[in-house]
Amino acid sequence: MKTKKTKLIIAILVIIIGLITLAYYKVERYADRPLNVKNETIFTLPAGTGRVGLESLLVESKLIQENHFFSWLLRVEPDLSHFKAGTYRFTAGMTVRQMLELLESGKEAQFSIRFVEGFTLREWMAVLQNAPYIKHQLADKNGEQIAEALQMKETKNAEGWLYPDTYLYTAGTTDLSLLQRAHQRMEKTVDKIWQGRADSLPYKTPTDMLTMASIIEKETAIKDERSEVASVFINRLRIGMRLQTDPTVIYGMGENYHGSISKKDLETPTPYNTYVISGLPPSPIAMPSESSIEAAAHPAKTAYLYFVANGQGGHTFTTNLDSHNKAVRVYRDLMKSKNEK
């Protein structure tokens, strides 16, 4: 009798162990099942979300199907349930286990934003406004208000004082914190270059040098000729000649600029119109690259006073008005010839 009872207990235990083993095997197989992700997917896990909440979000997002395996997986492997709030990037082929390990790691998705050299502050703010997952604190603020928010020391206008580059950020990052990073980097760059600048330059402050760099940035995209462009403007400043550079006119026109400037625009006074004012404008007119700042700090030693586009992407530099006018005629003839073809 005892033998039969013992055998029955053993049989039941074997069945139970078998069922547990089978269940464990199915749960483990489920863990290695890929998510329903065909293309890269951004998934946000709100703070305070528990096991049930996570499962609901995954089902609602159609990343997994509703079943009992998910909750059992978190019971069988409790280490996988220590997930952290944030925004994550799920990729094609990622398994349920890999997804949970990612959520446990806290390695949030990185996004990138590119601030282009030569863009104005207004253009930078438009880029920020259209960037995903950014928290906006500076919307509709002008250059002076942004400078105040960034606690700028050298200037009351943020124009020019932000370093152009590609910056990485996570979801929820503020536009203020991104611009703080760009400003801190520009501040260090300007300070380093200012300390090593050439002697006897007509700058009173680092802002003057940065303003010159912004004009150089807008005048040429060719790195190798930036020091020559700088020499033209430095030579003009030294003899009291007006800079007469179109980008400053355009900047002063603001939203009134629609792609071209007229003779009237050149004659209309603004704080930035260097056809009307003497010396440098009151602040930079764009965000200059580091190479333009270097050019402003180390201009070529030339006698150039003029330059004009050569129709091939670069410029022709001259020392007197007659030579400049000839270069202008050559450029216009070249453009006319190209338009007639």
Side-chain angles (χ1 to χ4, degrees):
M1 193 77 175
K2 288 183 178 180
T3 302
K4 287 184 177 181
K5 189 175 181 180
T6 300
K7 288 181 178 180
L8 180 60
I9 292 172
I10 292 172
I12 292 172
L13 288 174
V14 168
I15 292 171
I16 292 173
I17 292 171
L19 290 173
I20 292 173
T21 301
L22 178 62
Y24 179 81
Y25 173 73
K26 286 189 174 183
V27 167
E28 290 299 304
R29 282 195 62 185
Y30 173 78
D32 293 329
R33 184 181 299 175
L35 297 173
N36 184 26
V37 175
K38 294 182 179 179
N39 300 308
E40 187 176 89
T41 300
I42 300 299
F43 176 80
T44 298
L45 181 65
T49 304
R51 298 180 182 184
V52 175
L54 172 60
E55 184 175 3
S56 297
L57 285 173
L58 293 171
V59 171
E60 289 172 11
S61 302
K62 297 182 180 180
L63 294 168
I64 64 172
Q65 292 183 340
E66 188 172 8
N67 58 60
H68 57 276
F69 289 121
F70 186 83
S71 58
W72 274 107
L73 173 61
L74 296 181
R75 291 186 177 93
V76 171
E77 299 189 45
D79 287 345
L80 294 177
S81 64
H82 299 157
F83 30 81
K84 299 177 178 68
T87 298
Y88 299 87
R89 181 175 278 108
F90 295 164
T91 55
M94 176 179 281
T95 66
V96 173
R97 181 190 304 282
Q98 289 171 334
M99 177 267 294
L100 290 170
E101 288 173 344
L102 177 63
L103 299 185
E104 188 274 334
S105 74
K107 294 179 180 177
E108 292 190 64
Q110 293 275 326
F111 303 93
S112 66
I113 186 168
R114 183 170 179 244
F115 295 130
V116 180
E117 60 270 14
F119 274 25
T120 63
L121 178 62
R122 187 173 62 182
E123 290 171 316
W124 275 39
M125 295 309 293
V127 172
L128 274 170
Q129 192 64 39
N130 293 321
Y133 302 102
I134 286 179
K135 184 178 179 181
H136 297 284
Q137 296 180 335
L138 300 174
D140 302 322
K141 293 191 181 297
N142 60 32
E144 291 185 359
Q145 292 169 324
I146 292 171
E148 184 178 355
L150 293 173
Q151 299 180 329
M152 292 187 171
K153 301 173 184 176
E154 295 286 351
T155 180
K156 293 183 179 180
N157 188 340
E159 189 73 81
W161 280 97
L162 304 172
Y163 194 97
D165 204 349
T166 297
Y167 293 86
L168 299 177
Y169 66 94
T170 55
T173 297
T174 65
D175 51 6
L176 178 61
S177 66
L178 276 168
L179 293 190
Q180 281 174 332
R181 287 163 58 189
H183 173 57
Q184 289 167 2
R185 191 169 172 194
M186 181 61 90
E187 210 172 27
K188 290 179 181 178
T189 301
V190 170
D191 181 64
K192 178 190 68 176
I193 296 175
W194 176 257
Q195 297 303 324
R197 70 189 185 281
D199 295 331
S200 303
L201 293 175
Y203 307 138
K204 294 179 180 179
T205 66
T207 299
D208 288 346
M209 180 182 72
L210 197 63
T211 300
M212 177 65 79
S214 71
I215 295 172
I216 296 167
E217 186 71 43
K218 298 298 285 186
E219 284 286 7
T220 181
I222 299 177
K223 184 176 179 180
D224 291 343
E225 71 172 24
R226 285 175 179 166
S227 63
E228 291 180 296
V229 171
S231 75
V232 170
F233 294 131
I234 292 295
N235 291 339
R236 287 188 170 206
L237 287 176
R238 283 175 172 156
I239 65 174
M241 184 178 176
R242 287 178 178 167
L243 299 185
Q244 296 182 316
T245 169
D246 291 357
T248 62
V249 178
I250 293 169
Y251 187 82
M253 292 173 67
E255 294 182 359
N256 293 323
Y257 176 70
H258 300 293
S260 62
I261 53 179
S262 65
K263 183 179 179 182
K264 182 180 177 182
D265 295 326
L266 297 179
E267 295 171 347
T268 302
T270 75
Y272 290 87
N273 185 349
T274 54
Y275 282 84
V276 175
I277 66 169
S278 297
L280 289 163
S283 71
I285 61 170
M287 309 298 176
S289 62
E290 189 166 342
S291 64
S292 287
I293 304 173
E294 287 283 3
H298 301 94
K301 294 180 180 180
T302 75
Y304 296 144
L305 289 174
Y306 303 90
F307 64 93
V308 65
N310 60 16
Q312 299 174 346
H315 294 85
T316 300
F317 296 86
T318 51
T319 60
N320 58 76
L321 187 57
D322 285 342
S323 298
H324 174 66
N325 288 336
K326 289 178 182 177
V328 171
R329 287 195 294 272
V330 169
Y331 171 70
R332 288 175 177 170
D333 289 344
L334 180 60
M335 291 297 99
K336 183 179 179 181
S337 176
K338 285 183 177 181
N339 291 333
E340 290 175 350
K341 288 182 179 180

